[in-house]
Amino acid sequence: MAFATSSTVDAPGGDGVHLPDTARDLVKILVTGPFGVGKTTLIGSVSEIRPLHTEEQLTEASAQVDDLAGVRDKSTTTVAIDFGRISLPGGIVLYLFGTPGQERFRSLWDDIAHGALGALVLVDARRIDASFDVLGLVEESGLPYAVAFNTFPDAPRHHTPEQLRAALDLEPTTPMVTCDAREADSSIDALLALVQHLIDHRPAEYR
């Protein structure tokens, strides 16, 4: 089964809060990645309902434990979850759960991940090594996942896809895309890459 491009997906920010009549498959998806990579932004850009954010101001106390390297301009952080919803073609509705990116919230991760069918892992090309711990958590959980490089304006552009895949030690079958978390169409395309991966690799009994 193939998916249409994001141009066929209803634009986010709709007024209704109820599920569309065409909803057939309800899917829980994690949006995860390290601190400051754009998870809250991505969910906010695509959600067709008003997204839930649990952001708090960064304080001097948290600066002692949160690594701000590469994200010095960041002033808030997710302390529980982000949540949004988006309807895709074919009656598929994604419930998006954004995870905190810091190690101090590790105890929440397993609870948030419970019941998820897959994960979209956001990566910042400026600090690829910051993604290793989150990728390890996703792989330990056994969740299928896709990787999306969020295109920050000052991100390096000289790396080839092969070099990026090797840097993250990704399996050949793991989808790897780029996206701009601020743009709905771009973020939706990243989610579609994950959903197509889930469909292509679903257990035989569900085909």
Side-chain angles (χ1 to χ4, degrees):
M1 175 180 178
F3 275 104
T5 61
S6 57
S7 61
T8 67
V9 180
D10 291 338
D15 294 332
V17 296
H18 300 292
L19 283 173
D21 293 338
T22 56
R24 178 171 52 86
D25 296 311
L26 311 181
V27 181
K28 180 179 180 180
I29 295 294
L30 294 188
V31 178
T32 190
F35 176 58
V37 78
K39 302 179 293 292
T40 299
T41 300
L42 184 143
I43 291 175
S45 75
V46 303
S47 182
E48 64 195 11
I49 60 173
R50 182 177 180 180
L52 167 68
H53 298 308
T54 55
E55 286 199 310
E56 295 292 342
Q57 290 292 320
L58 288 169
T59 64
E60 290 184 8
S62 67
Q64 304 302 314
V65 293
D66 294 333
D67 184 4
L68 297 180
V71 289
R72 290 292 176 184
D73 294 334
K74 187 169 176 59
S75 61
T76 61
T77 183
T78 298
V79 296
I81 63 168
D82 294 312
F83 175 78
R85 190 189 78 201
I86 181 172
S87 301
L88 299 179
I92 295 176
V93 177
L94 303 185
Y95 289 98
L96 306 175
F97 287 76
T99 69
Q102 301 99 304
E103 176 61 29
R104 60 193 172 104
F105 295 116
R106 170 67 175 84
S107 60
L108 293 174
W109 205 92
D110 291 337
D111 290 335
I112 298 172
H114 182 72
L117 292 190
L120 181 67
V121 182
L122 289 182
V123 176
D124 183 346
R126 302 171 301 178
R127 48 193 183 98
I128 290 177
D129 57 345
S131 301
F132 295 158
D133 287 344
V134 173
L135 283 168
L137 285 175
V138 174
E139 291 175 352
E140 287 174 16
S141 72
L143 285 175
Y145 66 94
V147 168
F149 278 86
N150 193 8
T151 54
F152 290 92
D154 58 341
R157 311 289 179 180
H158 58 276
H159 298 306
T160 66
E162 292 76 17
Q163 289 172 326
L164 294 174
R165 185 175 287 275
L168 293 173
D169 194 25
L170 299 180
E171 295 290 337
T173 56
T174 300
M176 189 185 75
V177 299
T178 60
C179 77
D180 185 336
R182 301 167 299 179
E183 300 292 335
D185 282 354
S186 181
S187 299
I188 290 169
D189 284 341
L191 290 167
L192 287 172
L194 170 62
V195 172
Q196 189 65 60
H197 180 59
L198 296 178
I199 290 172
D200 292 342
H201 293 84
R202 66 192 185 279
E205 61 266 28
Y206 295 111
R207 296 181 183 176

